[in-house]
Each structure stands twice: as structure tokens, then as C-alpha cells.
Amino acid sequence: MPILIKGARVIDPGNLDGKRDILIKDGIIDAIFDPIGQSGQSGQSGQSDVHVVDASGMIAVPGLIDIHVHLREPGHEYKETIESGLKAAAKGGFTAVCSMPNTNPVNDNGQVTSFIINKGKSAGGAKVYPVGAISQGSQGTSLAEIHDMQQAGIKAVTDDGLPVESSQLMRRALEYCKALSIPIFVHAEDKSLANGGSMNEGPHATFWGIKGIPNAVESIMVVRDIALAELTKGYVHFCHISTSESIEAIRQAKKRGINVSCETAPHYFTLTDEAVKDYDTNFKMNPPLRSGKDRKAVIQGLIDGTIDLIASDHAPHSVDEKDVEFERAAFGIVGLETSLPLSLKLVQDGYLSLTDLVVKMSKHPARMLGIDNDIKPGNPADLTLIDPDIRYEIDPAKFISKGRNTPFGGRQVRGEAFLTMVDGKIVYEKEKLR
Ligand SMILES: [Zn+2]
């Protein structure tokens, strides 16, 4: 049955901003019309064989896309499955996610890529765009079967979780991926300098007696890969940027016309290392929460466009992996079901406009993956309806994700996904769930 989304404010940056009705037929956006316009098409809203979604007070945006998600399947299904992850994504307002390749086996060949894509199709949540490994087994020694994976459907490559330590291998990867027009997502970390640290190096790490990770761990690799992008004319996208030094380096690289982009995650503009208290491992992630100065630099980077997009780095872990001493606990937190409200806070605090936020959570990710997600007739109906005003407390017990590892439990927030639609199918609707 056709679906009519009625009365939402539609924000599609660069395309449209205003109250519209959207008619969806056979998975496709069929028509967009002015609800108070003259007769003509608007007469369709009177049809009785249409499922009407009352979206007054809601904001309709092109489906949100999270390009940095650990779905954990194959191999670590006890942490998350493709199905639980994609359903959690839909609840978080995402119509698509990119899955990181650090599964078991690693997604370094077309067979694993096809497995993820096929499982994703029947999951009944967001779409999945797998990201393949740069190197075989993400071991950093020889290139993975990148062309084979591209044939199977990967949208990018990364060895996320691990850096590509060899500059020579990174150079080869950049040259190869340039020929294939595939972006490389860089996990920027100098492992030797990180030296087994668990939180940001500084007075808080000293106070708690936890081994620190200096900012240079990230920026050394950022600077190296900017140099390699310049050398090869290849394209580098930096994942989860957390430090002022990295942001400044990327800012300067962009000014010089080097082909780089970057993302940050909500925890880096929401929290600092001051929040790491009482050895609570829900505050342990890689890169670590940084200083107040870095947090400000992240927000400034979002404002001035140095930081192109927001991704959650959703990293579910089991209780057993987190309920241990801080230094032994796994790095990472879940993010799919908290990313939107935490990012909306940037709008509520006046740092970004709603339009800017939609660019960073939908348009830029889409462009990077080569997807046209404009809200226009003929395009697939991948849409997110946002309830911007609802206030509530984040409750990890209500997460659809198998992971409960979040530092945001009990936090008061405003705004959440009201409805998520993928190819014209409602994959999440708040009213229906509760
Ligand atoms: Zn990473």
C-alpha cells in the first residue's frame, strides 16, 4: 500500500526545506507536494487506500547514514549480529550503515562481503554497505582482494581497529584504490607510541594511575597519510578524529587541495577525559576521550567544515569483555541508538544548524558512498522522521543492540528517530514499538 507522510518539515540540504507531504509507492518517492497548495496533486492525500503517517511536528530528512559501525558478524555474534545491529541502526534513525571488516573471518575477500550483504537483505533493518579490509586479514603485510570485494559490493576499505603500519603498503593501497575509485578509511594510530595505554595522557590518567595515550599517537599517522595522499593523489578518509592537532593538520591539507576528509564520533564532542571516573570501562574507547581543548577543536572542526561527517564507531562488546579491570577491558562503546540525540545537542547548543547536521549525518556520508539520497521523485524512499522535541533519559536496557556498553546511560537528551523507512518499508516506528 502506498504511504503518505503528512505534514512534516522536510529538510533536504541544497534541495528543499519546508512543509511537504511525501507520497511513497512501490518503495520509491512518488510525489512531493505542498500540503496547503492548490488542488492538483495534493488531492491525492484524500485517497483512502493510502497508509497515512501523521508527521506533524516531525522533521523528515534523507535517511541518516552511519559509515562506521562494527556489526561483529561473522564470528562475534555474541556481541552483535548483522540483524541486531541493523535493527538497532533503524531505531537510531539510520537507513544505512557501513560495516567494519574486523570480523572473524576478516572481510578481506568477496565471499565474506557477499555473506554480509545477503544477511543484511533479510535483517529487516537498515541497509548495510560492507567495508572491506585494506590488507589480508588486516595484518598489514599484503593487499586484500580489493577488486574482488568491490565486485561483491564493498564501498570502501579499511583495516579499522588496526593502523596500516607500513607506509609502503599504504602507498600501494592508495594507488590501487584510486584506480578503483574506492575511498580508504584510515584508523590513525601509532601503536608503538600508544604503548598499551588505555586513556588520554594527562592529569586525569595520572590521577587514576592509568597508562596514557598521547595525542601524537593519532596525529603522527594523520600527517603521514596526508603526505601519502599528496604523493599518490589518492583519497583518504580519517576515522574517529579526536585531537586538535589532527584537525589542524586536516584543515591545512584541505586548504592545500589534498584529497582528504574526516569524521568524528559523538563522544568526542560530548565528553572529555574528565568523565573517566572510578575505572568505569564504559568510558574506554580508542581513540580515548580527550581534553577539553580537543573537544572544543572537534566542535570547531564541525562548524568550519574541516570535519565532514559524524559516525558512531558503534562497537558492541559483551559484559565479560567490559566488566574487568580498566586496562584489560576492550576498547569501544555502542553508538547507533545514541548518535542522533547526542548530535542534535550540537543544534540545541547553537553550534550547527539542523541543515548542517543533516549534511554531516546523511548527505556527506551518502556522497562518500556514491549514493544519491535526495528527497525527490524517482529516488528510493530512504527517509528518517525525527521528533526534535521529545525529552527522555537514555536507557541502555531498552537498546536493540546486544551491546550495553555506553557511557551515556541515564543522560537526559532531546530528540530521537520517530520513524525510519528503507526502500519504502517502515523498518522502525516509535509508536509501534512502545
Ligand atoms: Zn578505528
Side-chain angles (χ1 to χ4, degrees):
M1 190 191 289
I3 298 174
L4 181 73
I5 297 172
K6 242 188 121 34
R9 174 183 167 196
V10 182
I11 302 180
D12 182 4
N15 187 9
L16 108 95
D17 184 346
K19 238 185 187 189
R20 297 285 190 283
D21 289 352
I22 307 171
L23 181 68
I24 293 116
K25 268 186 198 166
D26 304 323
I28 303 290
I29 297 171
D30 186 69
I32 299 159
F33 37 87
D34 191 338
I36 49 163
Q38 314 93 336
S39 60
Q41 286 181 306
S42 65
Q44 294 180 18
S45 50
Q47 287 179 6
S48 56
D49 54 347
V50 171
H51 172 65
V52 177
V53 174
D54 176 8
S56 46
M58 303 294 155
I59 295 163
V61 302
L64 305 181
I65 301 173
D66 187 339
I67 68 162
H68 198 126
V69 171
H70 295 273
L71 288 179
R72 304 302 193 195
E73 188 180 355
H76 304 124
E77 290 83 356
Y78 67 96
K79 295 178 196 257
E80 193 82 285
T81 62
I82 290 168
E83 184 178 345
S84 65
L86 294 179
K87 284 186 168 157
K91 187 184 167 206
F94 296 97
T95 57
V97 305
C98 287
S99 62
M100 295 295 112
N102 59 341
T103 46
N104 184 17
V106 169
N107 181 18
D108 62 1
N109 63 77
Q111 261 182 308
V112 180
T113 305
S114 299
F115 168 83
I116 296 166
I117 289 174
N118 288 333
K119 276 244 161 172
K121 277 182 187 152
S122 57
K127 290 176 182 170
V128 60
Y129 296 113
V131 176
I134 296 171
S135 64
Q136 285 179 30
S138 286
Q139 294 296 302
T141 44
S142 49
L143 287 182
E145 296 172 27
I146 299 175
H147 183 249
D148 180 45
M149 290 189 287
Q150 187 182 31
Q151 302 289 101
I154 59 159
K155 291 287 185 182
V157 289
T158 187
D159 276 351
D160 186 51
L162 295 166
V164 176
E165 287 179 355
S166 159
S167 305
Q168 173 66 2
L169 186 73
M170 192 62 179
R171 176 191 188 163
R172 292 284 165 251
L174 276 160
E175 288 167 346
Y176 194 56
C177 289
K178 186 183 169 219
L180 299 177
S181 299
I182 293 184
I184 295 186
F185 294 177
V186 166
H187 170 106
E189 179 183 12
D190 182 322
K191 280 271 182 201
S192 62
L193 187 61
N195 195 25
S198 298
M199 70 174 283
N200 186 43
E201 184 170 298
H204 296 286
T206 307
F207 180 83
W208 295 107
I210 294 172
K211 203 169 179 187
I213 303 172
N215 281 16
V217 161
E218 181 177 290
S219 50
I220 284 172
M221 291 300 257
V222 167
V223 169
R224 183 200 73 172
D225 287 349
I226 287 170
L228 290 174
E230 187 169 26
L231 174 69
T232 60
K233 307 269 184 294
Y235 170 45
V236 167
H237 172 78
F238 293 103
C239 299
H240 42 59
I241 286 299
S242 69
T243 75
S244 56
E245 294 86 352
S246 304
I247 294 164
E248 185 54 26
I250 294 164
R251 183 177 288 122
Q252 294 309 322
K254 285 184 165 185
K255 274 191 193 144
R256 283 160 52 217
I258 301 168
N259 205 1
V260 293
S261 61
C262 71
E263 75 197 28
T264 194
H267 36 282
Y268 301 117
F269 56 74
T270 307
L271 299 173
T272 67
D273 60 351
E274 204 183 339
V276 184
K277 284 202 170 85
D278 303 324
Y279 307 100
D280 183 345
T281 59
N282 283 322
F283 291 83
K284 181 178 177 182
M285 68 289 282
N286 187 19
L289 297 172
R290 298 290 188 182
S291 69
K293 175 175 169 254
D294 295 305
R295 176 177 168 262
K296 276 191 194 135
V298 167
I299 293 172
Q300 185 53 41
L302 285 162
I303 293 171
D304 68 23
T306 303
I307 300 177
D308 302 84
L309 60 98
I310 296 168
S312 73
D313 196 6
H314 177 79
H317 289 295
S318 71
V319 173
D320 292 350
E321 289 155 318
K322 278 296 203 180
D323 207 3
V324 294
E325 297 128 74
F326 198 88
E327 301 200 298
R328 285 181 49 226
F331 286 101
I333 61 170
V334 290
L336 284 169
E337 292 163 84
T338 52
S339 187
L340 177 59
L342 294 171
S343 301
L344 280 167
K345 182 85 164 52
L346 293 169
V347 178
Q348 291 148 12
D349 289 345
Y351 293 123
L352 296 181
S353 69
L354 211 40
T355 305
D356 293 337
L357 189 68
V358 178
V359 167
K360 292 191 196 291
M361 295 187 77
S362 174
K363 303 299 274 195
H364 277 169
R367 194 195 297 166
M368 179 172 298
L369 303 175
I371 299 162
D372 171 9
N373 70 345
D374 287 357
I375 299 182
K376 66 180 181 201
N379 267 1
D382 288 357
L383 302 167
T384 303
L385 294 185
I386 299 169
D387 181 345
D389 294 319
I390 186 163
R391 291 171 192 269
Y392 60 101
E393 188 180 293
I394 292 174
D395 180 2
K398 289 185 182 159
F399 286 170
I400 290 178
S401 167
K402 288 190 175 187
R404 298 286 182 271
N405 47 312
T406 175
F408 298 113
R411 194 180 188 87
Q412 297 292 326
V413 290
R414 179 148 63 99
E416 67 178 351
F418 171 76
L419 182 147
T420 309
M421 177 181 278
V422 173
D423 284 333
K425 272 201 212 91
I426 297 172
V427 291
Y428 170 73
E429 191 171 9
K430 192 188 155 195
E431 298 304 320
K432 293 273 161 65
L433 196 82
R434 291 186 180 166

